[in-house]
Amino acid sequence: MMGEEFVSLSLTPLLIGVFAAIACALPGNFLLLRRQALIGDAISHVVLPGIVVAFLVTGYVSAWPMMLGAAAASLLAVGLIELIKRLGRIEPGAAMGVTFTAMFAGGVLLLEQTDTSAVHLDVEHALYGNLESLIWLDATGWRSVLDPQALAGVPDELPRIFLTLLAVIAFMRLFWRPLKIATFDTGFAQSVGARPTAMGLALVVVAAVAAVAAFDAVGSIIVIAMFICPPAAARLMTNRLERQITWSVVFATVSAVLGYVLAGYGPLWLGADHAVSAAGMIATVSGIILAMAALCAPQRMRSGAPAN
Amino acid sequence: MLTEALTLQLGYNATLVALGAMFLGVAAGVTGTFLFLRKRALVSDAISHATLPGVGLAFMIMVAFGGDGRNLLGLLLGSALSASFGLLCIGWLTRRTRLAEDAAIGAVLSVFFGFGIVLLTIIQTMRVGQQAGLEGFLLGSTAGMLWNDAVIIAVGGALTLAVVIALRRPMTLVAFDPEYAAARGLNVARVDLAIMGLAMAVTVVGLKIVGLILIVAMLIIPPVAARFWSERTDHVALIAGGIGGASAYIGAGLSAVAPALPTGPIIVLVSFATFLISLLLAPGRGVLAAVLRHRRFQRRVHIRQGLLALAQGQPIYERYTLRLLQRAGLVEADGVATETGRARAAKALRDEARWALVRSDQALEGAAALYDGLRDLETVLTMDQITEIDRRIGAPQGVAL
């Protein structure tokens, strides 16, 4: 399992899965605390029309236009949700539901109406991603990791998601204090000039960027699961934000690694001869972690509630 | 072709599907109204995604017992069971841990859906799995639907609708005022459970037509659109039912004409169109109405301020005020007040004086609270009271001209 085959077949998907999981879990912590957990759900739905429109405009499947289209679609969705909320005086959940279902339906319809049979673009792919297919053909063993020629053959998704992860980390480092203040005490944040509204918008944008980059590699299921499950499980572990974020990174990594391994090798151990969906398995593992945290994590109760 | 589809002349199956979709749409609109008014619209998103593992497991169990895995009744039963389990998980996470409901919804939604996808990939590798067509449950498809399936959908839609109609009164009460409902002796928790159960029934019956990703739209969009048209719960529910039924019927009809078009997205987009129309054009809560209201208010403020300026002999520099006064025949083109203008200006100034007295008098506190700088005093006080105020102010003051 750790031999040459591992490097060429499993190392890159594994790394991509881990990076994608962490990139989504980090902003997910703040979204969870701000009661905006379902923004991740909305974003991961509206990414589809963005990608389809980008494909229709450019005419071919390539990563950057599609990521731009997806990012534009997420921003449009956030704007629309806000607009519907304000103009119609509709509660946020319903405004979100109206927006993302309509945009997703539009994306599906566009996709069905255009001839995409020649390219790898369909709804199922958007949902499950194709983590298993992101293999590194040029690798011949662990030595390839240091071989520039072999490294040139690494699937594009890996550097892309890695850069995104770095950008997310940089954002959180740079704006750590205003983010924290804006999340816990909007009024105070306003009074010390931390611009809570701008911070909230920036957070959504960063979440959208992470979602789009992860979506490109692993599909929307992981995106939603990683936005919510690791931060939620981490929230049950501690009362300190710093520790919560550390826990969420640990949980995201464990979900990605364990999920990938279980999906790839689990069925073989059980005697079946086909792997199952890695994206689905990663989401499942993150759910199991959350369930375990909800059952026995130290801070699972609301503070002040009787611990019966 | 389209008119034939909409007038039910495209064969027995298409007719059944269209009627079933319509029943379902009405039931979804009405049920969704209660979810929406309870501020739990997105719970339906979790319900619908949580059906997927049930579909997969039901298929595998039916195949394991040697049956036909595609039996719609069995699949729907499985989806209902796993959706109930998902609902239980949400309730448990919200009550027993510190997580908020939105986090619980998101967690259940993504984990159940992910596990469902795992099951689907297992089924695809089974010998009977290739032609299972379970992917149809993701986005819905009515093409090639069997007669039995169509009957199940039509009957299921009609049954759900019947239960909604039977339970509408307690549900209205709970959605509108849960405390009052509890005081009346209603079991609020049980009514909430009934609302959830109905939402689940709608989801399960609609799986085959709309697909599980978009069925949530049928529960959310029509009530939100209907909310613009009325402030009364029963009216909102009725309108939402109408919008839902019409969208589903048109969507199913369109898809019968063009089988390549998936039914779900069309239904969703048709109801989204009604939402947009409602958002823009509804009287009262619509955007257009709000803009008009704002403009009217603006005009009243300008005219009032203009009249006060005229009465006090101050020049008016604001072009818009002048234009409005001129259009109302209160000033000439050169800004000099007309006969009516002078009369109205004197009246406005007099009213200001009266209001000042009303606001300084403790006895008239109730009326003074209504002061907003625009309201006519006659609508607040009786003629006798006004005469009394005028007596206290004294003789009419001269108006500077």
Side-chain angles (χ1 to χ4, degrees), chain B residues 115-138:
Chain B
F115 184 58
I117 296 294
V118 170
L119 291 178
L120 281 195
T121 48
I122 296 177
I123 290 172
Q124 270 166 359
T125 64
M126 286 163 56
R127 225 168 357 94
V128 287
Q130 265 89 16
Q131 64 274 34
L134 293 186
E135 283 78 14
F137 282 98
L138 290 178

Side-chain angles (χ1 to χ4, degrees), chain B residues 13-85:
Chain B
N13 272 13
T15 305
L16 263 184
V17 169
L19 284 180
M22 190 179 69
F23 290 145
L24 183 75
V26 176
V30 179
T31 311
T33 305
F34 298 112
L35 272 181
F36 171 57
L37 293 177
R38 291 292 274 153
K39 298 205 188 333
R40 303 186 72 188
L42 281 178
V43 175
S44 54
D45 200 21
I47 297 179
S48 61
H49 283 75
T51 54
L52 189 59
V55 172
L57 281 177
F59 181 85
M60 289 157 96
I61 290 172
M62 284 192 287
V63 169
F65 282 99
D68 177 13
R70 283 173 298 175
N71 184 329
L72 187 61
L73 207 55
L75 294 178
L76 295 190
L77 196 67
S79 68
L81 285 178
S82 79
S84 332
F85 184 57

Side-chain angles (χ1 to χ4, degrees), chain A residues 32 35-38 41 45 84 87-91 93-94 96-98 100-102 104-106 108-109 112-113 123-124 127-128 221 224-225 228-229 232 235-236 238-239 274 276-277 280-281 283-284 286-287 290 294-295 299-303 308, chain B residues 36 39-42 45 49 92-100 102-103 105-107 109-111 113-115 117-118 120-122 124-125 135 138-139 213-214 216-217 220-221 224 227-228 260-262 265-266 268-269 272 275 279 284-285 287 293:
Chain A
L32 182 88
R35 302 255 165 132
Q36 291 180 321
L38 288 171
D41 181 30
H45 279 89
I84 291 176
L87 285 184
R89 281 161 292 162
I90 305 278
E91 54 132 345
M96 210 185 271
V98 170
F100 79 74
T101 51
F104 188 79
V108 172
L109 208 58
E112 300 281 335
Q113 289 305 94
V123 176
E124 276 82 17
L127 291 173
Y128 323 159
I221 304 171
I224 315 174
I228 297 173
C229 291
R235 179 76 189 90
L236 303 177
T238 171
N239 273 331
H274 288 283
V276 299
S277 159
M281 202 47 138
T284 311
S286 74
L290 175 60
L295 280 174
Q299 303 286 342
R300 64 185 184 279
M301 295 299 175
R302 285 190 183 87
S303 43
N308 52 348
Chain B
F36 171 57
K39 298 205 188 333
R40 303 186 72 188
L42 281 178
D45 200 21
H49 283 75
W92 183 76
L93 277 177
T94 342
R95 266 197 313 278
R96 305 290 298 174
T97 73
R98 55 163 43 160
L99 294 177
D102 66 333
I105 290 173
L109 178 160
S110 55
V111 172
F113 193 64
F115 184 58
I117 296 294
V118 170
L120 281 195
T121 48
I122 296 177
Q124 270 166 359
T125 64
E135 283 78 14
L138 290 178
L139 294 171
I213 300 179
L214 290 173
V216 47
I220 296 183
I221 299 181
V224 173
R227 182 68 186 84
F228 285 99
L261 291 178
I266 299 182
V268 175
L269 288 178
F272 184 67
F275 161 76
L279 173 72
R285 286 171 65 99
V287 171
R293 213 164 34 235

Side-chain angles (χ1 to χ4, degrees), chain A residues 141-160:
Chain A
W142 280 105
R143 225 166 309 146
S144 308
V145 178
L146 299 173
D147 177 6
Q149 210 179 347
L151 277 179
V154 163
D156 296 337
E157 282 83 356
L158 184 58
R160 238 181 349 245

